[in-house]
Amino acid sequence: MTSQRKFIDCHIHLYQWFDPSGRSFYEVLDDLQQKTGLERLCVIADEYLEWGGVEQNILTALYKLHNPTAYANGCVVFPSAPVRLPLPDGMDALTQYEELMEIGMDGLKILCKPDIEKRIALPINHPFYEELFAKAEEDQTPMIWHVADPESFWSPERRGRDCYSDGTYPSFETLFRQTFDVLKKHPRLAVTFAHFLFLSDRPETLELIFDHYENVSIDVTPGTEMYVNFSGDLPFYRAFFEKHADRILFGTDATVPVRADAEERIHSVYHAMVTGDTVLMGRVRRPVQGLALPQGVADKVLRNNFLQRWGEDPKPINQRALKAYINKYAHMISHEETKKQILLAAKKLG
Ligand SMILES: [Zn+2]
């Protein structure tokens, strides 16, 4: 990367210990940071399909211990899908939140995605989460929150991955309603909605949300469709970024170690912010034109907004709390090799 501008990626995923070539996530992420010139990075954990939240919480915490420029956002985990309530003793949402905070996680990740909600059958506005959101609002804990997916994924014409039109998935509108049920109750939540909240084609709705919720922000993690929309009316979107420069954060969805295009992603999103060049975006490498944000706006988006929300320094990891978390939850780790490595790492924790 040629530019000298400092930047921080708020949206990096970390799934497994080893990549297909046998490199550990420590090596892969260190290498990614070095090659892209990322000043700092935030790794985020999801209770996701084949890679569960337990291992992601632990890997992101271990990475923080290894890299003093890394932040991590942890997630709530479940022993079964669909979720059966009540969860076993000591796994209520508030206890899990407090465990993550005690470990030294810097924030939370919330995943309110149609395929996940179908699988766990526990909507985000369920009373299960109430105490967690009340405490996170009080603590002003930064969250990355993914709502829905691009609306086109519900179209009956869509083929291939992520088709939600067969009537078995919650609708786009339902996921938004559930999310804003929570926000209405907890309007001061420090939320960064991922992917422009999938509303890049409805900037007026985003403005209403910003007006209503003082701590809400959005990230520029692709969705290629966002960049196609930006490209379609550069003067409008450049003005939108300027007007809401305090509410927009840099993110990429670089995924370690399963997505080989992590470096290219970071490169593309960075260039789409700071230059007016044609950039190839996303899996389909769609050509889009960069926003060429003015320097003051770019600096906020690239790093200052992140530091303001997450703090100037990552929280220190409490090794004893991390070890206790591993002991409590290791039986829920699905990936055998990752589990083996985590248990070895736990032995070295103080
Ligand atoms: Zn993501």
Side-chain angles (χ1 to χ4, degrees):
M1 197 159 291
T2 51
S3 173
Q4 305 300 308
R5 210 71 71 78
K6 285 185 176 177
F7 71 119
I8 302 172
D9 192 334
C10 78
H11 196 137
I12 292 185
H13 291 283
L14 183 49
Y15 285 157
Q16 287 174 32
W17 198 283
F18 291 114
D19 78 357
S21 70
R23 290 196 308 164
S24 75
F25 69 97
Y26 295 116
E27 294 170 72
V28 178
L29 256 184
D30 288 355
D31 191 43
L32 184 68
Q33 184 175 25
Q34 199 256 324
K35 282 184 173 147
T36 55
L38 274 173
E39 178 193 9
R40 289 152 189 250
L41 53 98
C42 182
V43 277
I44 59 182
D46 279 322
E47 179 70 347
Y48 203 57
L49 302 168
E50 60 270 51
W51 304 288
V54 170
E55 52 258 56
Q56 295 189 37
N57 280 333
I58 296 167
L59 293 178
T60 56
L62 286 171
Y63 191 69
K64 264 170 68 78
L65 197 55
H66 162 81
N67 180 343
T69 69
Y71 299 72
N73 278 23
C75 69
V76 170
V77 299
F78 302 106
S80 68
V83 174
R84 278 183 291 276
L85 295 177
L87 294 189
D89 267 359
M91 280 191 72
D92 60 278
L94 183 61
T95 300
Q96 290 201 45
Y97 169 82
E98 284 171 342
E99 285 170 344
L100 294 171
M101 294 303 111
E102 201 196 346
I103 288 171
M105 302 302 261
D106 302 280
L108 286 178
K109 174 72 198 300
I110 308 284
L111 188 59
C112 192
K113 212 170 126 58
D115 47 343
I116 304 303
E117 187 161 317
K118 175 180 168 178
R119 173 174 169 264
I120 67 173
L122 184 70
I124 202 67
N125 60 348
H126 191 281
F128 169 80
Y129 289 105
E130 174 51 30
E131 288 182 313
L132 175 152
F133 284 124
K135 188 74 170 77
E137 183 184 34
E138 184 189 321
D139 296 348
Q140 285 295 290
T141 299
M143 301 178 175
I144 300 273
W145 189 328
H146 176 126
V147 184
D149 259 340
E151 198 170 8
S152 62
F153 288 13
W154 278 265
S155 157
E157 281 84 55
R158 186 173 166 83
R159 297 284 172 270
R161 297 176 54 207
D162 306 320
C163 302
Y164 306 136
S165 63
D166 69 2
T168 65
Y169 296 89
S171 69
F172 186 80
E173 293 76 17
T174 299
L175 295 165
F176 273 80
R177 184 180 50 72
Q178 292 167 351
T179 295
F180 283 91
D181 277 353
V182 177
L183 267 286
K184 278 176 201 153
K185 246 181 163 170
H186 302 288
R188 296 187 60 257
L189 280 170
V191 179
T192 300
F193 286 117
H195 314 288
F196 245 66
L197 196 49
F198 296 109
L199 294 176
S200 62
D201 58 343
R202 270 170 275 180
E204 66 290 347
T205 307
L206 285 173
E207 297 205 307
L208 285 176
I209 293 167
F210 290 156
D211 286 347
H212 261 82
Y213 301 105
E214 57 184 322
N215 295 329
V216 162
S217 53
I218 52 179
D219 78 25
V220 296
T221 302
T224 307
E225 83 289 344
M226 288 159 48
Y227 291 85
V228 173
N229 290 330
F230 300 160
S231 248
D233 193 347
L234 284 170
F236 174 85
Y237 281 99
R238 202 174 287 130
F240 182 89
F241 271 75
E242 284 196 47
K243 184 171 172 198
H244 302 292
D246 295 324
R247 306 287 196 114
I248 305 175
L249 280 76
F250 181 88
T252 66
D253 249 345
T255 297
V256 171
V258 286
R259 245 187 205 169
D261 66 347
E263 187 184 339
E264 188 183 336
R265 266 181 176 264
I266 294 171
H267 187 81
S268 306
V269 179
Y270 178 89
H271 281 269
M273 293 295 117
V274 302
T275 76
D277 298 347
T278 300
V279 174
L280 300 177
M281 190 62 75
R283 261 191 291 265
V284 292
R285 313 190 91 228
R286 185 107 178 235
V288 297
Q289 206 182 336
L291 284 155
L293 297 176
Q295 178 149 3
V297 176
D299 286 343
K300 287 181 174 183
V301 172
L302 294 178
R303 75 186 287 275
N304 298 350
N305 292 338
F306 180 88
L307 293 176
Q308 205 212 338
R309 284 163 176 77
W310 268 260
E312 291 285 333
D313 289 302
K315 278 166 64 181
I317 286 289
N318 174 339
Q319 295 196 31
R320 202 179 32 77
L322 176 55
K323 192 170 194 168
Y325 186 90
I326 294 173
N327 287 335
K328 179 172 172 181
Y329 293 100
H331 68 281
M332 286 167 56
I333 299 175
S334 51
H335 193 280
E336 279 309 317
E337 183 59 35
T338 294
K339 182 174 175 177
K340 194 174 128 195
Q341 295 299 329
I342 284 173
L343 292 173
L344 283 172
K347 288 192 182 148
K348 295 180 199 145
L349 294 170

